[in-house]
Amino acid sequence: MGATYRADLRELNELNFARFDSKLEQRLAGLRSEMETGFARADAKLEQRITELRSELRTGLAQADAKLEQVKGQLSTDLHKVRADILKWMFGFWAPTGLAVVGTGLGVLSLLLRR
């Protein structure tokens, strides 16, 4: 191979590489642009979905809070009823017991006074 042929071959390779490098840069620039556009779209969708989820969460929490207040009111009412029932049963137990103790005391007193 002659020196001229080698120089021509080297120049041809350099031109081909320059063309290849130019096309590669163009394709990379296009790819970057597409990726940025895709990321921007994905980011917008993500922001929209996050906003929707926040709204759903707020609605759900408001409903849970309302339900909790309703249950709290019902429990308070039930607690008052149970307290009243317990008071009735306590009176029902202690009133006869107290009468029996007083009766026994009066009976013992009357026996002691007879002597």
Side-chain angles (χ1 to χ4, degrees):
M1 281 201 200
T4 308
Y5 180 72
R6 280 187 179 171
D8 288 343
L9 188 59
R10 181 173 293 151
E11 186 179 330
L12 184 62
N13 280 339
E14 286 177 5
L15 288 174
N16 283 336
F17 180 76
R19 228 178 328 151
F20 169 76
D21 193 37
S22 174
K23 285 182 181 180
L24 183 62
E25 285 296 324
Q26 287 176 349
R27 288 181 182 164
L28 284 176
L31 183 60
R32 281 187 192 122
S33 175
E34 289 175 19
M35 286 177 61
E36 288 174 2
T37 303
F39 286 146
R41 256 191 244 128
D43 191 38
K45 285 181 182 179
L46 184 61
E47 284 295 325
Q48 179 184 4
R49 186 63 184 139
I50 288 172
T51 303
E52 290 171 1
L53 287 174
R54 282 182 181 159
S55 175
E56 290 173 12
L57 183 62
R58 285 187 183 120
T59 303
L61 287 175
Q63 290 173 349
D65 194 34
K67 182 69 175 175
L68 186 62
E69 288 296 322
Q70 180 185 5
V71 169
K72 182 180 170 185
Q74 183 64 38
L75 285 176
S76 178
T77 303
D78 291 347
L79 184 62
H80 287 297
K81 288 179 184 177
V82 168
R83 191 180 299 164
D85 287 344
I86 288 173
L87 192 60
K88 287 179 200 174
W89 280 101
M90 284 175 53
F91 183 75
F93 173 76
W94 287 110
T97 304
L99 289 175
V101 169
V102 169
T104 304
L106 289 176
V108 169
L109 191 60
S110 71
L111 286 175
L112 288 176
L113 290 179
R114 281 189 190 172
R115 290 188 176 188

